Structure formats: C-alpha cells, structure tokens
Amino acid sequence: MKMNMSDKSILLIIGGGIAAYKALLLIRLLAKKGIKVRAIVSKGGAKFVTPLSVGALTGETVYTDLFSLSDEAEMGHIELSRSADLICVVPATADLMAKAAQGLAGDLASTTLLATDRQVLYAPAMNVRMWEHDATQRNIEILRERGSAFVGPDEGDMACGEHGFGRMAEPEIILTKIEKLLKGETHIDALKPKPLAGKHVLITAGPTHEAIDPVRYLANRSSGKQGYAVARACAGLGARVSLVSGPVALPAPTGVDVISVESARDMLAACEAALPADIFVAVAAVADWRAARTVSKKIKKDDGKLLPLELEENPDILKTICAHEQRPKLVVGFAAETNDVIANAQIKLAKKTCDWIVANDVSGDVMGGDDNTMIIVTKAGATPWPTMSKQRAAQKLALEIASQFGKV
Ligand code: C5P
C-alpha cells in the first residue's frame, strides 16, 4: 500500500561539513514527496550553506541559534525537538555525533538532539581518519544502542583528497531511508547486513604479563588496539564476541564480553572455558616464556649481584585451540615478523594448524601504533593488504571472515 507522505514532517539538522550542500538536494527531494521540512542550520553548517537558501527551499523559518530571541519566540527549542516525525542530521559531523552521544547541549543542534523524543537518523560525513577513529566509532555505537538510525557513510573519494569510508550517502539513498523510517519500518540498518549474526567469535588481545615476583613481570609492547578493533568489528557484524584480554589500557568495546587475564596460562584457561566458538582469532602477543619460579615476596636487590632468571615455555594458545576437540571451524592466527614475513607466516600456518595467518611486519612502529600492514596467508597463498588504520584493517578482516566462514 502506498503511504501518503504529505502529512509527514522532518526536522533537518544541517551540520558543518562540505557535504552540507547535499542537504539542499535532499530538501528538494523531500519537498517533491510532499514531506514538510523544517531546518536547523548549525554554526558550522552555516559556513557551507546559507540559512537563506535553506529557508527558500523549505519555505519555513530556519533556526540557527539556541540563544536567539527571534528563534526562540518562533518556536522554543523543546517544542522544535518534538515538532517533526523524524529528525535527520545531514551531514552528521563527528562533532555533532560526539555531542549527541555524550549528551552535550551547548548549541541549538545538540540541545535539540538531547531534548527530542523522536527517532533520529544520522547521515555521517567526515574524513576517513575521523570516521575510523575509536572515539567516533564508540559514539556511533552509543547512538545506535539508543535506537538511532544511520545511513552511510559510503566508501569513495573525498573532498579532502583521501579515499575511504566517510563520504556521505547520496540524497536519494537518504530519502529512501527516511521514507522507510516514516513508514515505521525497522530502523536496523538494512544497508548494513549482519553476516556474523548467530556466530560466536573468540578473540585474544593484548600482551600477557608473566609474574617474577609481586611487583615485577615480563611483558611486551602490545597495546591490544588491533585485537580490540577486531572484536569491535566482529560485534558490528552481529557476532557474539568473547574477548580474552591481557592487561591493556583500552575501554571495553560496547556489546563485547571482555574476560580480563594476566598470564598466558590464564589466557589459555579463559579461552578453553569460552569454547565452543565458531571462529577463533588469536591476536594476542602472548609471552613465549614465563619465570620458571615466581616468589610471593619482592626479590631484594643484592648490590653487585645479578638475578638469575630461569625461564620456561608458555603454552601455545593458538596451537592448543587448533588441536582442541572443540576446535572452532575457522581459526585465524596473527604473526608479527621483522623479516621473511610471508615465508615465516607459512611455516607458522603449518606448525600451528590454523586456517589463516595474518602476517604483519613489525619492523616499524606497528606495536602500539594506529596503522597496520597485513598480509593474509592461507594454504592457497598470500594476499597483501595496503597499509590502513587498525580499525579499518579489523573491519576488512571481519568482513573477510564473514564471507569465508561458510567455505572453510
Ligand atoms: O609463535 P608466534 O608467537 O609468532 O605466533 C603468533 C600467533 O600465535 C598469534 O596468533 C598469537 O596470538 C598466537 N600465540 C598463542 N600462544 C602463544 C604464542 C602465540 O596463542 N604462546
């Protein structure tokens, strides 16, 4: 049944980004459908499109300022926030979404988003690095959890000259999404499939700490960023994620079950306890050795004398899980190498009997850094990926896992 849209209204919040010009095209498309549009142009938005053009296209008063007497006299901000069937933020900048996620209300756009009881649709648009930043992704998770809808962004060339995710969805696509929402269709993003829904993904991340005495331990430089990004990406594709994490200074990704451990042996026990899983991704930089003896009291320094430190080998978690009677169907290991990256990864693949090895060259500042250059090594060969942020690499890996899962 065709629905009459002429009794529907939208409150359009135009954020400050180059994609703001597309909001003008969207207003025209909405007008053609008979949908009434009222608009708020943020301070940044007004640098890209003038409130005059917006007013000319909507035929309505355009609101710009929380503290403007004329704006407030026309319609108070609380009333404005409830005046439409749907609020659309086009373009949704990183700043506007951060404000909305944190509940800030320092200007008219953010106050409206905090005061509203209406469905909100965000059409994000920003530089790829800003889009991929953990802060932005976390804010989006928060907004999504609160029931907000999203359209885009798309992958492509950007106004800033870079290429990647961050291009705002085209006005026609935004219109389709708006119509669906106005018809009351589910706001779960149909454009964003959940290919890992129903799957349990077990992931290890971070370093392990191997105690020498109550204050000293053996460790490595792993930050946990890559493993946490993989966990977030798998959860984003709908998986139930158990993240067994060594000591890191990272917040728990939303919707991920984090099991915090210290040592390699704890990590193995936690992984075994988390089975069965469909997929295992071993990202952790597990310490290869631990102190053969740990003491319960702090070892005293004895001037001039060195501490004899005898080491013994830690269990290989990846190898153990691969040989486990509940072996997950797809097992992915990581291999940090400084030389002969592919050859060493191939040896590791065979030795550990996993399905893939994600090899990375850590001769640069990968450990602790934000970028990664990965090579996906399988029995069939090696596929190098270009250098990209750990977040983006994790998303690409999660998609690869989702698409190959049924085929292994
Ligand atoms: O042997 P190597 O440490 O280079 O292998 C790296 C891969 O093996 C990673 O996936 C890492 O998480 C995993 N690993 C493990 N347990 C160990 C050592 C490594 O799970 N004790």
Side-chain angles (χ1 to χ4, degrees), residues 21-23 25-26 29 168-176 178:
Y21 77 91
K22 291 190 192 171
L25 304 175
L26 178 64
L29 294 176
M168 193 172 83
E170 292 305 323
E172 292 76 10
I173 304 291
I174 303 176
L175 176 71
T176 309
I178 289 174

Side-chain angles (χ1 to χ4, degrees), residues 325-346:
E325 56 180 14
Q326 287 182 299
R327 183 197 196 273
K329 201 164 163 214
L330 177 64
V331 179
V332 182
F334 270 62
E337 300 288 349
T338 51
N339 56 292
D340 301 323
V341 178
I342 297 178
N344 282 330
Q346 265 151 353

Side-chain angles (χ1 to χ4, degrees), residues 204-206 208 264 267-268 271 280-289 313-321 332-337 344 348 351-352 354 356-358:
T204 62
T208 60
M267 189 172 266
L268 175 59
C271 285
F280 177 48
V281 192
V283 195
V286 185
D288 290 316
W289 304 281
E313 214 174 319
N314 263 329
D316 190 314
I317 301 167
L318 179 57
K319 206 169 164 184
T320 310
I321 298 294
V332 182
F334 270 62
E337 300 288 349
N344 282 330
K348 220 159 266 183
K351 215 167 87 185
K352 308 223 182 196
C354 56
W356 305 349
I357 284 280
V358 178

Side-chain angles (χ1 to χ4, degrees), residues 218 289-292 309-313:
L218 298 170
W289 304 281
R290 64 174 180 272
L309 187 59
E310 206 187 313
L311 300 176
E312 62 186 22
E313 214 174 319

Side-chain angles (χ1 to χ4, degrees), residues 201-215:
V201 184
L202 174 62
I203 298 169
T204 62
T208 60
H209 284 184
E210 309 296 333
I212 297 170
D213 69 12
V215 294

